[in-house]
Amino acid sequence: MRVTEGGVELEVPGEQTDGIEEAVFYNPRQELNRDLTIATLRAYREREARATSYLDAMTASGVRGVRAAADGWDVTCCDVDEQAVELARDNLERNDCEATVEHRNVNALMHDGPFDVIDLDPYGTPMPFADAAFANCRDLVCVTATDTAPLCGAHFNSGVRSYSAVPRNTDYHAEMGVRILISALARSAARFDVGVEPILTHATSHYVRTYLELEHKATSADAAIDELGHLYHCEDCLYREADPGLIADPLETCPHCDGNRMLTAGPVWLGPVQDSAFIAAVRDEIPYTFNTAPQARELCDTLAAELDEPTHYDQHKLCRNWGLPANAMDDFLADLRDAGYEASRAHYGGTTFKTDASVGEIRAATADSLE
Ligand SMILES: [Zn+2]
């Protein structure tokens, strides 16, 4: 079947369905991810002028590589699957794009040569590729993780194995995934004396995507490790607390409700996951010719305005917990701000928000409007 996205035309196997087998070569549900990638690469070129080479590490149909090549990047496409390599070659030719196509183990390729930008877009966890990516990448590592159940603690053992961390299933599960993933990536990079700075991160339907700018200095790696810590979470009242540092000091009872159903998660990334100024630049690079432009621009607006707090709340879950009816989000957030707290929407869902208020302070600030 023939698909068009971002101005390139691709031949991909299979019928136009959301079936798993077709998704091995072309996943239509990831078009927003790819549109944002192209916009991010454009904005990144302005931020770091030396960045010219781009590795599409799991190229499959070649869609990312073709789109980056059409945008002027010096592209390498790699895949271990011979059929994928042929498909990528055909699709590059179909669009008159030049790129190097490698049929080999991408970990070996990444250890061999430097790339300015490496894009890891595997099915499942990206961790088997992280070390090789950080070993030789100069500027930017872009990572997709689709194993959201392990990342958020719903598939606990798998999450522990893949990320060498303890994820916990909470009401902010998608953000748990974001912070478990970046924690593991930061620790992988630190082994090579590389510090990571997440400049754009989003959790969208069934995947997490993050863009990590690298700094090749031991002190930067130390600074990244300093952003790690633990989250203590009360399953009864949804109180949560962030505790920086690699040594946990878990809470046995909840400081808010005195309950003892406390969870400890970590090490998680507690630092910023966005660079608002960079996201504004990315937003400006999303043309309306991209099929997902309205959603991608809206996502950028929400991300840029999101408070830098390590967890978010869901208004509906809080209100259910309190036995109170939810009101309009804008009124709810206005109550928080009127009470002197910071508050923003979060991109994790229509009723999610961030604030510097604790769960008790949120209730006190909003309860009058809810009853
Ligand atoms: Zn509690």
Side-chain angles (χ1 to χ4, degrees):
M1 84 182 182
R2 189 68 59 98
V3 291
T4 305
E5 69 167 64
V8 306
E9 216 179 68
L10 302 145
E11 189 67 38
V12 297
E15 299 298 313
Q16 192 143 18
T17 64
D18 286 345
I20 299 298
E21 268 179 48
E22 286 77 25
V24 171
F25 289 102
Y26 175 81
N27 186 344
R29 285 173 298 178
Q30 294 259 11
E31 187 169 356
L32 172 79
N33 182 341
R34 292 187 292 266
D35 283 350
L36 262 180
T37 301
I38 292 299
T40 301
L41 290 175
R42 287 176 183 174
Y44 194 74
R45 202 151 42 187
E46 301 297 316
R47 184 180 172 107
E48 179 53 77
R50 74 169 177 184
T52 53
S53 63
Y54 170 83
L55 170 64
D56 177 5
M58 297 86 192
T59 202
S61 69
V63 57
R64 286 174 181 275
V66 173
R67 291 189 62 177
D71 233 41
W73 288 84
D74 169 15
V75 169
T76 302
C77 296
C78 184
D79 210 293
V80 279
D81 184 299
E82 196 170 344
Q83 211 189 334
V85 166
E86 277 173 33
L87 193 58
R89 283 207 176 96
D90 290 348
N91 281 324
L92 285 159
E93 199 174 315
R94 181 169 289 111
N95 291 280
D96 292 320
C97 288
E98 298 263 336
T100 306
V101 181
E102 299 269 5
H103 178 209
R104 63 185 293 204
N105 180 315
V106 76
N107 278 337
L109 177 68
M110 288 189 288
H111 277 296
D112 261 4
F115 294 95
D116 299 327
V117 179
I118 293 180
D119 197 332
L120 303 178
D121 187 51
Y123 288 91
T125 176
M127 293 317 292
F129 309 99
D131 280 0
F134 291 119
N136 270 318
C137 184
R138 282 203 192 96
D139 296 311
L140 186 72
V141 173
C142 323
V143 182
T144 306
T146 59
D147 58 330
T148 52
L151 273 170
C152 76
H155 292 172
F156 182 77
N157 289 338
S158 172
V160 172
R161 285 199 306 276
S162 293
Y163 298 99
S164 302
V166 177
R168 290 294 184 186
N169 204 352
T170 60
D171 50 305
Y172 41 93
H173 48 90
E175 186 157 21
M176 178 65 67
V178 161
R179 291 175 184 279
I180 288 283
L181 173 67
I182 299 175
S183 160
L185 293 170
R187 284 177 281 131
S188 171
R191 289 180 203 128
F192 301 95
D193 289 347
V194 172
V196 299
E197 185 199 338
I199 54 175
L200 196 167
T201 306
H202 60 106
T204 312
S205 58
H206 310 301
Y207 65 86
V208 176
R209 177 76 165 166
T210 188
Y211 298 84
L212 304 175
E213 186 169 43
L214 310 184
E215 188 151 14
H216 293 260
K217 267 165 54 184
T219 50
S220 302
D222 292 343
I225 296 299
D226 282 344
E227 301 287 3
L228 303 180
H230 294 82
L231 289 169
Y232 310 133
H233 175 86
C234 173
E235 291 193 277
D236 290 326
C237 74
L238 309 183
Y239 173 88
R240 70 284 306 261
E241 191 175 306
D243 180 17
L246 284 176
I247 297 172
D249 184 15
L251 296 173
E252 280 179 24
T253 52
C254 174
H256 181 58
C257 74
D258 287 327
N260 60 5
R261 298 204 311 134
M262 297 299 295
L263 297 176
T264 300
V268 295
W269 177 267
L270 295 175
V273 298
Q274 321 288 1
D275 175 332
S276 296
F278 180 71
I279 292 174
V282 171
R283 187 193 187 282
D284 290 345
E285 298 288 357
I286 304 169
Y288 279 109
T289 50
F290 284 4
N291 293 330
T292 75
Q295 304 98 288
R297 283 171 164 247
E298 195 186 335
L299 177 59
C300 286
D301 288 339
T302 310
L303 292 173
E306 213 170 87
L307 283 183
D308 175 24
E309 291 286 335
T311 67
H312 66 268
Y313 294 89
D314 184 315
Q315 186 217 20
H316 283 188
K317 287 175 186 161
L318 280 178
C319 288
R320 204 179 309 137
N321 220 32
W322 298 337
L324 294 172
N327 61 350
M329 271 295 277
D330 286 337
D331 297 340
F332 186 86
L333 297 181
D335 280 347
L336 280 169
R337 292 191 195 105
D338 288 347
Y341 301 108
E342 286 193 285
S344 76
R345 284 179 180 268
H347 78 284
Y348 298 97
T351 57
T352 64
F353 66 98
K354 295 207 166 206
T355 179
D356 56 351
S358 70
V359 69
E361 291 166 338
I362 299 170
R363 181 165 181 170
T366 61
D368 284 350
S369 311
L370 299 175
E371 280 159 9

